[in-house]
Amino acid sequence: MGQPKEPHHTRPFGNPFKKTSSKGSQLSQRPLYLLNAFEFALTARLQKLNPKDKHDVLSLAWMVLAMESLCETHNGIKTLITELDLPVTGWDEKWIDVYMDISVKLLDICNALSSELLRLNQGHLLLQCALHNLESNTSEKLVRACSSLDSWRQNIGAKNPRLENCKSILEGLVDSVSLPKVKNSAKGKVLMQAMYGAKIQTVFVCSVAAAVFSGDSNNLLDLDVAKTTTWAQAFSDLQTNVNGGIRDIFSHGKFPVLKELDEVYTVVKNLCPMIQDGKRPIEVEDFSNSFSDLGRRAEKLAQGLDFLTKVVDGFFKMVLSGRDALLCDLRAPDTLADPFPGSNGKRFVR
């Protein structure tokens, strides 16, 4: 697929600042070009998310990539609105209602994910405490280390009520995911089709995140998309590989499912029997290797959680600022609105 080419514009003699007629062909070509460019970029992002191995998706690295991709798509919507020069005052009320409903659900999902990441980060403190006590290798310290490791295992096995509620929130999002029909507005039609793609990717990524962090494949959603979109096949391939892979792994009862968590869990499971009675380990070399592995893998887990927390927080702020800007612009009808403020969001006086 090649990058869409912008149509060549020719301006007739006369006032260059005079608006062209809404019936002119150039007006319809420009929105179409912008839509093609947006969908081209969306297709590339979806293809990039398709994992080479089904286990890759069960990692913090993939989660970070997915959330960054989501931020890029929402930034693309922001840019599209700016380039379409479409004021919020010209939006259909249904468009506004749908956007506001979706945005509040996205904020709820972000809060749920953030609460889980915070919980896992708190568990990292237990690992740090265990590592500190293991350094001394005294009986008392070994007992404390074992207690910290047991507490960590209990921590990662606990259920998060907020994640449990994601299923109903996601189902509510699915109800709003449709390709609306827009009449008498080329710009409106382009905006709605682009937002449709953004909604599909958003629901997909959020459902995968909810499934992986909750360990419940019931949070996965299988979405049917309009075949008229250029990114439909890329999304279908991605959804089939990711959802199918997750369900297959979950069917074997694996715990924990998140790769970085599992790496730490494996070391902890091997290390605990060596120190459970507070006695110095007989196999000194095995103990030393396990101690080193725990430190290295715990640090990898902490870094992954930190990266993902920052991306989720950034997405939350993006959605919140867009929602606030839309409400602000609805109260000030004398401005041309960009409900996705940022570096590309310029304000113009009508």
Side-chain angles (χ1 to χ4, degrees):
M1 181 186 296
Q3 178 73 38
K5 297 180 180 179
E6 184 168 7
H8 177 68
H9 294 268
T10 58
R11 184 179 296 277
F13 292 104
N15 184 356
F17 301 103
K18 184 178 180 181
K19 291 187 177 181
T20 58
S21 170
S22 60
K23 296 181 181 180
S25 60
Q26 295 298 333
L27 183 62
S28 61
Q29 287 182 21
R30 174 64 177 170
L32 182 59
Y33 162 77
L34 293 174
L35 176 62
N36 288 340
F38 175 85
E39 294 196 334
F40 178 88
L42 178 59
T43 300
R45 292 189 199 104
L46 296 174
Q47 291 172 338
K48 186 177 180 180
L49 286 180
N50 210 334
K52 295 180 180 180
D53 185 279
K54 65 183 179 182
H55 291 86
D56 290 345
V57 73
L58 300 175
S59 69
L60 291 172
W62 188 91
M63 290 294 171
V64 169
L65 181 66
M67 290 303 301
E68 287 178 340
S69 176
L70 206 54
C71 289
E72 290 172 1
T73 296
H74 281 255
N75 268 325
I77 291 290
K78 174 193 67 178
T79 301
L80 179 64
I81 290 177
T82 301
E83 293 181 338
L84 282 174
D85 203 28
L86 183 63
V88 166
T89 51
W91 286 29
D92 188 289
E93 288 186 7
K94 292 181 179 179
W95 307 351
I96 297 174
D97 291 342
V98 169
Y99 174 77
M100 297 301 286
D101 181 61
I102 290 174
S103 62
V104 75
K105 287 182 171 65
L106 288 181
L107 293 177
D108 287 340
I109 291 175
C110 285
N111 282 328
L113 292 177
S114 294
S115 71
E116 179 63 8
L117 293 171
L118 176 61
R119 190 178 71 84
L120 293 176
N121 268 315
Q122 290 172 341
H124 180 68
L125 296 177
L126 294 171
L127 294 177
Q128 291 296 101
C129 182
L131 286 166
H132 174 73
N133 286 318
L134 287 172
E135 287 179 347
S136 66
N137 205 22
T138 64
S139 179
E140 182 182 358
K141 295 290 186 179
L142 289 177
V143 170
R144 291 181 181 177
C146 190
S147 176
S148 295
L149 294 177
D150 284 338
S151 296
W152 179 80
R153 287 195 288 188
Q154 293 175 17
N155 173 268
I156 66 171
K159 296 293 184 180
N160 185 337
R162 287 193 173 186
L163 277 181
E164 299 297 309
N165 294 331
C166 275
K167 176 68 174 180
S168 59
I169 299 175
L170 288 166
E171 289 177 341
L173 275 176
V174 173
D175 292 338
S176 65
V177 174
S178 61
L179 187 56
K181 295 181 179 180
V182 180
K183 297 180 179 180
N184 304 322
S185 175
K187 292 182 178 181
K189 186 174 183 179
V190 164
L191 176 61
M192 288 300 101
Q193 182 160 330
M195 289 186 69
Y196 171 70
K199 286 186 289 183
I200 289 292
Q201 185 189 8
T202 301
V203 173
F204 168 74
V205 170
C206 289
S207 71
V208 171
V212 172
F213 282 109
S214 67
D216 185 0
S217 60
N218 288 324
N219 281 319
L220 290 175
L221 297 173
D222 296 299
L223 305 173
D224 292 323
V225 301
K227 304 301 181 183
T228 55
T229 59
T230 58
W231 48 265
Q233 189 59 53
F235 175 77
S236 179
D237 293 341
L238 173 64
Q239 180 174 247
T240 298
N241 291 340
V242 170
N243 287 5
I246 291 177
R247 289 189 175 106
D248 180 58
I249 295 172
F250 279 25
S251 67
H252 293 86
K254 181 178 175 59
F255 175 83
V257 295
L258 194 64
K259 179 182 177 182
E260 291 84 355
L261 269 180
D262 183 52
E263 289 177 347
V264 175
Y265 184 83
T266 299
V267 179
V268 170
K269 187 169 63 173
N270 292 333
L271 186 59
C272 280
M274 300 181 190
I275 59 173
Q276 62 183 355
D277 297 324
K279 298 178 181 179
R280 293 185 178 182
I282 299 176
E283 300 293 338
V284 178
E285 185 176 353
D286 288 346
F287 171 78
S288 179
N289 290 337
S290 294
F291 174 75
S292 298
D293 284 346
L294 180 60
R296 184 175 62 256
R297 296 182 182 184
E299 181 62 25
K300 179 183 176 182
L301 172 62
Q303 289 180 353
L305 290 172
D306 183 56
F307 289 153
L308 184 56
T309 298
K310 290 178 180 178
V311 179
V312 171
D313 184 56
F315 183 65
F316 177 90
K317 291 177 179 178
M318 180 185 297
V319 174
L320 183 61
S321 62
R323 181 182 173 85
D324 289 346
L326 181 59
L327 289 172
C328 179
D329 290 329
L330 287 173
R331 298 190 189 102
D334 59 330
T335 60
L336 186 67
D338 167 21
F340 297 83
S343 59
N344 292 324
K346 300 177 181 179
R347 296 301 177 92
F348 303 90
V349 179
R350 295 183 66 192

